[in-house]
Amino acid sequence: MPLPAGIAAFLPGTAVAAAAAVLFAVGSVLQHEAAASSAHERGVELRVLVTRPKWMLGQGATVLGTLLQVVALALAPVAIVQPVLAGGLVVALAIRSVRDRCLPSRLDGIGAVLTCGGLAVFLVAARPATGTGDQLPPWYAVVAAVLVAVGFVAVCSRIRRGPGGALACGAAAGVAAGIAAVLISAAVKTFGEGGLPHTLGGSALWAALVVAVVAQLGSQQAYARGALSWSMPALVLLDPLAAVPAARFLTGERLEPGHAFVWVPAAAVAVVGVILLARTGEGCRRPVFRRRVRGKPGEHDRTGAEL
């Protein structure tokens, strides 16, 4: 069975992006565990996180994933790479379930299927239009993109702990990550046209570094505000959805308009999946093992079972 044209034309980049998605998933789970244990009402402080070995290990996985993302963006357009990275959502939730010794709920499963299924259809249908995406962004467009990313993360980081804060910070981090991906792609194009001196003297590379750091800070604030099922789906969804208009604005890359009747409903399905995942909340409802601890008659454990 032949692969869809959007994937088959960029198979190496798609494969590298899939590997990056797995690394991002591992990094997200480890960083979430470290951030959640270090959080206070207003979020988390970076100087506390850097002392946690688990957080540093998660950062290492994220850095490796970012390097693979850069390679993928050199081999495939943003509209292909960023949706593939969304596959890390299923991997992250699976790792989370194993580490918590907790089976996913039915709502988790439906939400994950809708989110990843919608994004998969989006990936197949949202093909970059021929002859677009080759222009280098002007400096003022780069500055505007940086201001949008920084402002969004700064505003959402003011929200307190809970589902709203986790969703908002996850969405802000996703928007920043999508913009960072486009800026990385622009920096790669600059390197291909003018070499290292031109790249170092341009604005895209430095803007990409700034926005990537801001996206990381936003994700840590999201992880500190609640369950991974609140923050990561929003981050994963907003990343490709923000990258597509950012690529249109910065590099001129646009999608084939004739396929909008497919990829627009697919994006809507993915949004519904995120909403379902966010409603699952914190805590384990289906533990793999029920630990029986002696207690007074009538007392209950965390799962609701009588001791």
Side-chain angles (χ1 to χ4, degrees):
M1 182 177 179
L3 290 171
I7 299 176
F10 305 102
L11 193 56
T14 303
V16 174
V22 175
L23 288 172
F24 282 137
V26 174
S28 296
V29 172
L30 294 176
Q31 290 173 66
H32 175 265
E33 291 180 359
S37 63
S38 307
H40 49 77
E41 189 177 0
R42 279 291 185 181
V44 68
E45 296 181 6
L46 184 60
R47 59 186 177 88
V48 176
L49 287 178
V50 295
T51 64
R52 302 298 177 95
K54 186 180 293 184
W55 186 83
M56 295 300 293
L57 186 60
Q59 277 294 306
T62 300
V63 169
L64 289 176
T66 301
L67 293 176
L68 289 183
Q69 181 188 13
V70 173
V71 174
L73 288 168
L75 299 173
V78 173
I80 296 293
V81 173
Q82 296 308 108
V84 171
L85 295 180
L89 171 65
V90 173
V91 179
L93 295 180
I95 295 173
R96 177 79 277 171
S97 296
V98 171
R99 290 182 67 83
D100 286 346
R101 296 180 176 86
C102 181
L103 296 174
S105 68
R106 181 178 300 176
L107 198 60
D108 287 328
I110 295 173
V113 168
L114 290 178
T115 301
C116 293
L119 286 170
V121 175
F122 180 91
L123 168 65
V124 173
R127 302 175 189 173
T130 304
T132 65
D134 294 329
Q135 72 181 45
L136 297 178
W139 67 269
Y140 54 85
V142 172
V143 171
V146 172
L147 291 177
V148 168
V150 173
F152 198 10
V153 171
V155 170
C156 292
S157 296
R158 304 291 296 175
I159 303 175
R160 296 179 181 273
R161 178 179 170 83
L167 273 170
C169 289
V175 170
I179 293 174
V182 177
L183 291 170
I184 291 171
S185 179
V188 170
K189 290 182 177 70
T190 304
F191 179 79
E193 291 188 8
L196 185 59
H198 191 52
T199 305
L200 294 176
S203 58
L205 174 63
W206 306 111
L209 293 175
V210 170
V211 177
V213 171
V214 169
Q216 273 294 302
L217 293 175
S219 66
Q220 304 312 311
Q221 295 295 336
Y223 298 152
R225 279 164 170 74
L228 196 65
S229 60
W230 288 338
S231 55
M232 192 171 182
L235 194 160
V236 165
L237 177 64
L238 267 295
D239 185 335
L241 294 185
V244 170
R248 181 72 176 92
F249 175 67
L250 291 170
T251 65
E253 180 183 302
R254 59 181 177 82
L255 303 179
E256 289 285 0
H259 300 162
F261 72 95
V262 177
W263 58 260
V264 170
V269 169
V271 171
V272 173
V274 168
I275 295 173
L276 292 179
L277 285 170
R279 293 183 62 187
T280 60
E282 294 181 294
C284 179
R285 295 180 175 83
R286 300 177 62 195
V288 177
F289 301 107
R290 290 179 180 269
R291 295 179 60 185
R292 292 190 173 274
V293 181
R294 292 183 179 180
K296 297 179 182 180
E299 289 184 345
H300 295 77
D301 61 16
R302 291 188 304 171
T303 67
E306 186 172 345
L307 297 173

